[in-house]
């Protein structure tokens, strides 16, 4: 199972939240070849230190200036070296089985090009988390096509 994690990263991300995200990646039951970090501009020293202290194999790609999410993801995807890429946002706290579940699904069905899932939006600190909402996404191809007209 060879895969990369792709993390688009804005220089203004909350360091404490990024630290939680990286911790959840270290807890994954299967590990990626690398965490490819595509920075939207230059990486501030505080975020650089958090990334370096993560214990994850990193590939950091910075830009000269702010570009926006689309170009940052495109540049990061080109830097990935594996056949499968799992996108991670800087504020994702992943369940330990997330990577395994996603990779297994991609391997079982080679016709899949994109795979997503449900997410629970939360607020608060790690010590005291208040659940906000469950963001449900459609499952069937017809429902996905219908919703994708106004949301992706």
């Amino acid at each position: 199972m060879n895969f990369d994690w792709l993390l688009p990263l804005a220089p203004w991300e909350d360091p404490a939240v990024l630290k939680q995200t990286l911790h959840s990646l270290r807890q994954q039951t299967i590990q990626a070849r690398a965490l490819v970090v595509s920075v939207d501009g230059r990486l501030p020293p505080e975020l650089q230190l958090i990334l370096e202290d993560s214990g994850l194999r990193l590939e950091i790609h910075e830009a000269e200036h702010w570009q926006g999410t689309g170009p940052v993801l495109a540049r990061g995807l080109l830097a990935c070296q594996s056949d499968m890429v799992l996108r991670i946002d800087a504020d994702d706290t992943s369940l330990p089985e997330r990577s395994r579940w996603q990779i297994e699904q991609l391997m079982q069905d080679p016709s899949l090009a994109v795979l997503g899932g449900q997410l629970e939006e939360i607020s608060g600190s790690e010590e005291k988390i208040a659940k906000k909402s469950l963001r449900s996404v459609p499952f069937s191809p017809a429902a996905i096509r219908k919703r994708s007209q106004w949301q992706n």
Side-chain angles (χ1 to χ4, degrees), residues 27-99:
Q27 302 303 312
Q28 293 298 295
T29 56
I30 61 171
Q31 293 291 305
R33 180 198 65 82
L35 172 61
V36 177
V37 181
S38 186
V39 184
D40 197 356
R42 291 302 199 188
L43 190 59
E46 185 175 17
L47 295 182
Q48 174 82 35
L49 185 60
I50 288 169
L51 287 165
E52 289 172 358
D53 287 346
S54 71
L56 298 167
R57 181 166 184 252
L58 300 171
E59 294 178 10
I60 299 173
H61 303 274
E62 297 177 276
E64 290 297 320
H65 54 80
W66 179 82
Q67 298 175 311
T69 306
V72 168
L73 281 169
R75 182 170 32 87
L77 189 56
L78 289 173
C80 291
Q81 297 176 24
S82 299
D83 292 335
M84 291 181 276
V85 176
L86 302 183
R87 178 179 168 184
I88 306 296
D89 285 329
D91 62 352
D92 285 354
T93 302
S94 301
L95 294 173
E97 298 291 329
R98 175 186 178 179
S99 293

